[in-house]
């Protein structure tokens, strides 16, 4: 995982420098890739959070039926909500990286 992180950082820095040099030669402002990356990450986080909230609402509705299976709905909700929350960070990272690669 560290190797991938270092490789992604190196590629991103190289691409940023390349675009900054081109922007300077064209008379445009620099750091456009960094601004775009920040925007993409924020939008990705917002979308993932909205999806997460919808998933939590769906879980709340579905967990009520667990009592008919002789399961504790509160315990089931806690366990599944924790799993959903843990996957939220991974989903944000994967979607942000995918979007960034698509924009480069």
């Amino acid at each position: 995982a560290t190797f991938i992180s270092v490789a992604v950082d190196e590629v991103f820095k190289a691409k940023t420098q390349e675009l900054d040099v081109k922007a300077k030669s064209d008379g445009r402002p620099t750091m456009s890739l960094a601004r775009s990356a920040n925007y993409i990450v924020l939008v990705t986080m917002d979308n993932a959070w909205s999806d997460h909230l919808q998933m939590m609402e769906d879980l709340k509705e579905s967990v009520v039926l667990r009592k008919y299976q002789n399961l504790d709905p509160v315990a089931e909700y806690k366990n599944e909500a924790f799993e959903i929350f843990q996957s939220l960070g991974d989903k944000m990272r994967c979607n942000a990286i995918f979007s960034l690669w698509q924009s480069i």
Side-chain angles (χ1 to χ4, degrees), residues 16-85:
T16 301
Q17 289 174 349
E18 175 187 326
L19 291 174
D20 284 348
V21 167
K22 186 174 180 180
K24 278 184 182 177
S25 68
D26 293 343
R28 291 180 288 123
T30 59
M31 298 298 292
S32 63
L33 182 61
R35 284 192 304 275
S36 296
N38 286 339
Y39 176 77
I40 288 170
V41 169
L42 286 174
V43 168
T44 301
M45 290 174 68
D46 184 51
N47 291 339
W49 184 252
S50 296
D51 292 345
H52 174 73
L53 292 177
Q54 183 60 49
M55 288 174 66
M56 294 301 292
E57 188 65 31
D58 294 343
L59 176 61
K60 185 171 72 172
E61 293 173 7
S62 69
V63 80
V64 173
L65 300 174
R66 308 281 170 90
K67 67 181 174 185
Y68 297 115
Q69 296 175 329
N70 292 327
L71 298 172
D72 181 18
V74 175
E76 292 291 313
Y77 180 83
K78 285 180 183 179
N79 291 335
E80 289 192 35
F82 183 69
E83 289 176 16
I84 291 170
F85 183 74

Side-chain angles (χ1 to χ4, degrees), residues 45 48-49 52 83-93:
M45 290 174 68
W49 184 252
H52 174 73
E83 289 176 16
I84 291 170
F85 183 74
Q86 282 184 320
S87 69
L88 176 65
D90 293 336
K91 187 181 297 184
M92 284 181 183
R93 278 189 287 289

